[in-house]
Amino acid sequence: MEAMRVTYRMHVAPPEAEQRAEAIALEQTVEVPRVVVRDAFIEDEVMGRVERVEGDPAGGSLATIDYPVAATALDPCQLVNVIFGNSSLHDDVECVDVEFPASILAALRGPRFGLEGLRKELGVLGRPLTCTAVKPMGQSPKELADLFRTFARAGIDVIKDDHGLAEHPFCPFDERVRACLAAADQVADETGHRALYAPNLNGTPETIFRQLRFAEDAGARAVLVSPMLVGLPVFWELCQRRASIPVLAHPAFAGAQRIAPEVVFGRLFRLFGADAVIYVNFGSRFSYSRETCRTIADRLLEPMGGVLPSLPVPAGGILVEGVTEVLDFYGRDAMLLVGGNLQVEADALFERSRAFVEAVRGYA
Amino acid sequence: MEAMRVTYRMHVAPPEAEQRAEAIALEQTVEVPRVVVRDAFIEDEVMGRVERVEGDPAGGSLATIDYPVAATALDPCQLVNVIFGNSSLHDDVECVDVEFPASILAALRGPRFGLEGLRKELGVLGRPLTCTAVKPMGQSPKELADLFRTFARAGIDVIKDDHGLAEHPFCPFDERVRACLAAADQVADETGHRALYAPNLNGTPETIFRQLRFAEDAGARAVLVSPMLVGLPVFWELCQRRASIPVLAHPAFAGAQRIAPEVVFGRLFRLFGADAVIYVNFGSRFSYSRETCRTIADRLLEPMGGVLPSLPVPAGGILVEGVTEVLDFYGRDAMLLVGGNLQVEADALFERSRAFVEAVRGYA
């Protein structure tokens, strides 16, 4: 029987831990007391099985549970349900790791372009990449396109919408996309550098699938989506069934999960199809440690069956002045996202953007 | 300016609290440092504004922030983003309350049937309601229909799929729906009692919208969905744009949020359109307090502009023997969901189901 292996940290003492792990194995599959399971097929092919329970040096206990692949129905929604559906309702249980067997990798498929596909699209092979965002929310399409033009002239590789840009009456999606793509064309004509624009898809499925089609038809070469805001199953359908261009994943609403960031960003987003994964960097206004960031980046890049690597995109308060430290940490296979910090001096937007680009391009 | 008021608990000491609250107000809207906001329109109509910061007797501080409605674009996805998108990535911030202004209530709309619509559909006016689930996952459509028949004969009002029933090859959705609806018809012919069957929609948008249509065409009178698994925006589109029958909400994957359960179940699920809201009861294998459960039930029922009340459905380890205590707590306007406990004795399924029904029907 092929199994998906999930590890939970349980904030209970070892004496109770065995029993608690058994309870999780039931909760996540059959969701009935053990005595109710009277069928050999269900016992063997559906019910979770506790593989190991051990004390965690960090406190509490770690339980490793094998779930038969059949329980997941190889469906993106049911997969998340089996990993952490009802157990998310237990205050003292966290999901800290997941290992996917080959059948799940083959069914969910992961990135269509990934790190290498994005590099090819950008024509940038041997160095780290640069990224910023047009914002703040509240600006008109014209104002955002003006910002875009400045960032593009400075040579930034990828310019995305802020993840908060939605279908606002003061900045409708279609107008914004047209204006920013026109700005990209204009700068390409002037300088030869064509920045890749990733508009943000935000709304219900009806809305975002329409936005995707509009963006593709208008010539966009990537889009941005927040998987936890739109829903992981929507994200999967978007990547695997709808989009013909790369998809960048944004972390909004994702940190609220009592699933480790290493699992959400390092495993789930990649498996579901993100070609690039934005996550909050160490030393930022967010609280991720260096170790967490290292693990996320490693997991996005490491071999995973036939699944392509995703591009790691550290973000969240990186300063232009701090770029070299971040590059030292990640090396070449990363795209640095510097947002608001490029805009802190109203008159020095181009200069700060250019300094960011040069710091990255000049990185040995 | 109409505003949506959100309250956060910040685990920081009062001296830092003011600054931290200002940071959240920016993070959730413009997402740039304050100096970057140089436009009066953005300041007045887009940017969050700190209304109040105070020490929390429970520790830390409470910040109340007003967000201009314009920032939400009146869109279900962007609304969640403004409430708790990036701030979900801060370990020391929780979202503990949200108040919606009239324009958001009018745009999002809430339940289409609600408590009274469900009562009318069931023909049950003056008493609490009963609910159970066909499970465990792994049974065939025929086996689930046999279970259904027994529950229906015992007189249970609502019989739902377990939320883990997906598009499993051993139990395809269409067959399961046909079999359970046929069982409902058969028992209605025999006894005059027609149990309401709510099949579980589980998958990507493509899958669940197809499942919904199949269920409606087959004669189902309600469906079950897990909003946090499928994605809140999908849930909204399903309720408001797709479904012609009531929708019951299941809490799977919802407890992982660092949003208070009172907000997720009491406010968001109702606003988004759940006609009935399942949540985990106090004293169960989950850890919600009596106070939390009281607040959830109150919020589902209390006046909320023109938005209909939703039916509270406490669940998660209610025992047949404990029904009266739960009824004493909730009174008449609740539906009790007893799941696995009906099945603990293989030969007493009907008897335990009947005892559950009689305890509820006999409740004064």
Side-chain angles (χ1 to χ4, degrees):
Chain A
M1 182 206 67
E2 247 197 318
M4 172 170 71
R5 177 162 292 186
V6 183
T7 305
Y8 303 92
R9 178 174 296 122
M10 307 178 299
H11 297 269
V12 297
E16 299 166 60
E18 283 282 350
Q19 198 184 352
R20 202 57 202 286
E22 293 291 344
I24 294 174
L26 296 176
E27 187 76 58
Q28 293 305 103
T29 50
V30 291
E31 213 210 338
V32 289
R34 182 66 185 82
V35 293
V36 174
V37 180
R38 303 173 182 108
D39 181 310
F41 168 74
I42 297 178
E43 235 182 286
D44 296 342
E45 304 289 335
V46 174
M47 207 173 74
R49 186 171 307 160
V50 177
E51 185 55 34
R52 195 168 57 244
V53 179
E54 52 197 349
D56 183 352
S61 310
L62 290 171
T64 305
I65 298 178
D66 280 355
Y67 295 109
V69 165
T72 70
L74 296 175
D75 177 281
C77 182
Q78 174 65 359
L79 182 84
V80 177
N81 190 25
V82 171
I83 294 172
F84 206 46
N86 269 12
S87 290
S88 78
L89 300 162
H90 288 293
D91 267 353
D92 53 357
V93 177
E94 291 168 71
C95 170
V96 296
D97 202 5
V98 190
E99 289 165 66
F100 304 110
S103 58
I104 288 180
L105 298 181
L108 277 281
R109 289 197 294 274
R112 294 155 303 128
F113 299 89
L115 169 66
E116 293 308 322
L118 280 169
R119 282 200 176 283
K120 200 182 286 181
E121 185 65 41
L122 292 163
V124 178
L125 295 183
R127 62 160 173 86
L129 299 157
T130 52
C131 180
T132 191
V134 289
K135 58 183 180 181
M137 183 203 308
Q139 295 199 304
S140 67
K142 188 190 166 306
E143 290 168 317
L144 293 174
D146 288 344
L147 259 181
F148 188 104
R149 211 173 281 111
T150 305
F151 292 143
R153 283 186 182 129
I156 288 175
D157 298 308
V158 175
I159 304 171
K160 67 172 194 66
D161 280 349
D162 185 41
H163 76 284
L165 303 191
E167 281 289 6
H168 293 104
F170 49 76
C171 189
F173 181 85
D174 296 3
E175 278 183 48
R176 185 167 89 230
V177 170
R178 266 198 225 101
C180 289
L181 288 174
D185 285 346
Q186 186 192 331
V187 175
D189 289 346
E190 284 170 26
T191 68
H193 168 70
R194 185 182 301 275
L196 186 143
Y197 170 52
N200 180 44
L201 312 185
N202 181 317
T204 71
E206 205 168 39
T207 303
I208 69 175
F209 294 153
R210 191 205 68 75
Q211 290 172 334
L212 171 69
R213 181 158 312 166
F214 181 88
E216 289 180 336
D217 290 348
R221 295 181 296 144
V223 290
L224 176 74
V225 189
S226 303
M228 302 307 279
L229 271 183
V230 302
L232 277 168
V234 181
F235 182 71
W236 185 86
E237 184 173 314
L238 182 94
C239 292
Q240 308 297 343
R241 295 278 163 85
R242 308 267 180 166
S244 62
I245 55 181
V247 176
L248 284 57
H250 188 281
F253 205 52
Q257 310 302 323
R258 211 175 314 110
I259 308 185
E262 293 87 343
V263 172
V264 174
F265 303 114
R267 298 240 192 268
L268 290 179
F269 281 19
R270 180 178 174 193
L271 176 70
F272 275 60
D275 296 294
V277 175
I278 303 171
Y279 58 91
V280 297
N281 199 35
F282 61 87
S284 71
R285 64 186 189 275
F286 301 93
S287 51
Y288 289 3
S289 68
R290 282 174 174 261
E291 194 188 353
T292 293
C293 292
R294 169 71 67 216
T295 305
I296 292 171
D298 287 350
R299 287 187 174 180
L300 292 173
L301 296 170
E302 75 189 9
M304 186 186 192
V307 171
L308 297 180
S310 297
L311 176 63
V313 189
I318 298 178
L319 309 180
V320 172
E321 294 72 16
V323 160
T324 307
E325 185 201 350
V326 181
L327 291 172
D328 283 341
F329 186 81
Y330 289 106
R332 287 181 177 180
D333 283 335
M335 176 158 75
L336 271 53
L337 168 50
V338 179
N341 190 252
L342 299 184
Q343 300 193 44
V344 286
E345 295 172 55
D347 299 331
L349 188 61
F350 178 81
E351 290 69 21
R352 291 189 67 78
S353 302
R354 190 68 205 160
F356 170 38
V357 166
E358 282 171 356
V360 174
R361 288 199 184 164
Y363 185 75
Chain B
M1 181 208 67
E2 246 196 320
M4 171 171 71
R5 177 161 291 187
V6 184
T7 305
Y8 303 92
R9 177 174 298 124
M10 308 178 300
H11 297 269
V12 298
E16 299 166 60
E18 283 283 350
Q19 199 184 350
R20 203 56 203 287
E22 293 291 344
I24 294 173
L26 297 176
E27 187 76 59
Q28 293 304 104
T29 50
V30 292
E31 212 209 337
V32 290
R34 183 65 186 83
V35 294
V36 174
V37 181
R38 304 174 181 105
D39 182 309
F41 168 73
I42 296 178
E43 236 181 285
D44 296 342
E45 303 289 335
V46 174
M47 207 172 74
R49 187 169 306 159
V50 176
E51 185 54 34
R52 195 168 57 244
V53 180
E54 53 195 349
D56 183 351
S61 309
L62 291 172
T64 305
I65 298 178
D66 280 354
Y67 296 109
V69 165
T72 70
L74 295 176
D75 176 280
C77 182
Q78 175 65 359
L79 181 85
V80 177
N81 191 23
V82 171
I83 295 172
F84 206 46
N86 270 12
S87 290
S88 78
L89 300 162
H90 288 292
D91 268 351
D92 54 357
V93 177
E94 292 167 71
C95 170
V96 295
D97 203 5
V98 189
E99 288 165 65
F100 305 109
S103 58
I104 288 181
L105 297 182
L108 279 277
R109 288 198 296 273
R112 295 155 301 127
F113 299 88
L115 168 66
E116 292 309 323
L118 280 169
R119 281 199 177 282
K120 200 183 287 182
E121 185 65 41
L122 292 163
V124 178
L125 295 182
R127 62 160 173 87
L129 298 157
T130 52
C131 181
T132 192
V134 288
K135 60 182 175 181
M137 183 202 308
Q139 294 199 304
S140 67
K142 187 190 167 304
E143 290 168 318
L144 294 174
D146 288 344
L147 259 181
F148 189 105
R149 211 172 284 114
T150 304
F151 293 143
R153 283 186 182 130
I156 288 174
D157 297 310
V158 175
I159 303 171
K160 68 174 193 63
D161 279 349
D162 186 43
H163 75 285
L165 302 191
E167 282 288 6
H168 293 103
F170 50 76
C171 189
F173 182 84
D174 296 3
E175 278 183 48
R176 185 168 86 231
V177 170
R178 264 197 227 105
C180 289
L181 287 173
D185 285 345
Q186 186 192 333
V187 175
D189 289 345
E190 284 171 23
T191 68
H193 169 69
R194 184 181 302 274
L196 186 143
Y197 171 52
N200 180 44
L201 311 185
N202 182 316
T204 71
E206 207 169 38
T207 304
I208 69 174
F209 294 155
R210 191 206 66 74
Q211 290 172 335
L212 171 68
R213 180 156 316 163
F214 181 88
E216 288 179 337
D217 290 348
R221 296 180 296 147
V223 290
L224 176 75
V225 189
S226 302
M228 303 306 280
L229 272 182
V230 300
L232 277 168
V234 181
F235 182 70
W236 185 86
E237 184 174 314
L238 181 94
C239 291
Q240 308 297 342
R241 295 279 162 84
R242 307 267 180 165
S244 63
I245 53 180
V247 177
L248 283 57
H250 189 280
F253 205 53
Q257 311 301 322
R258 212 175 312 109
I259 310 183
E262 293 87 342
V263 172
V264 175
F265 303 114
R267 298 243 193 265
L268 290 177
F269 280 18
R270 179 178 174 191
L271 176 71
F272 275 59
D275 297 292
V277 176
I278 302 171
Y279 59 92
V280 297
N281 198 35
F282 61 86
S284 71
R285 64 187 188 273
F286 302 93
S287 51
Y288 289 2
S289 68
R290 281 173 174 260
E291 195 187 351
T292 293
C293 292
R294 168 73 65 217
T295 306
I296 293 171
D298 286 352
R299 286 185 174 180
L300 291 174
L301 295 170
E302 75 190 9
M304 186 188 193
V307 171
L308 298 182
S310 297
L311 175 64
V313 189
I318 299 178
L319 310 181
V320 172
E321 293 72 17
V323 160
T324 306
E325 185 200 349
V326 180
L327 291 171
D328 283 342
F329 186 81
Y330 289 106
R332 287 183 178 178
D333 282 336
M335 176 159 75
L336 271 55
L337 169 48
V338 179
N341 190 251
L342 299 185
Q343 300 193 44
V344 286
E345 294 171 56
D347 299 330
L349 188 62
F350 177 81
E351 290 68 23
R352 290 189 68 78
S353 303
R354 190 66 205 163
F356 170 37
V357 167
E358 282 171 356
V360 174
R361 289 201 182 162
Y363 186 75

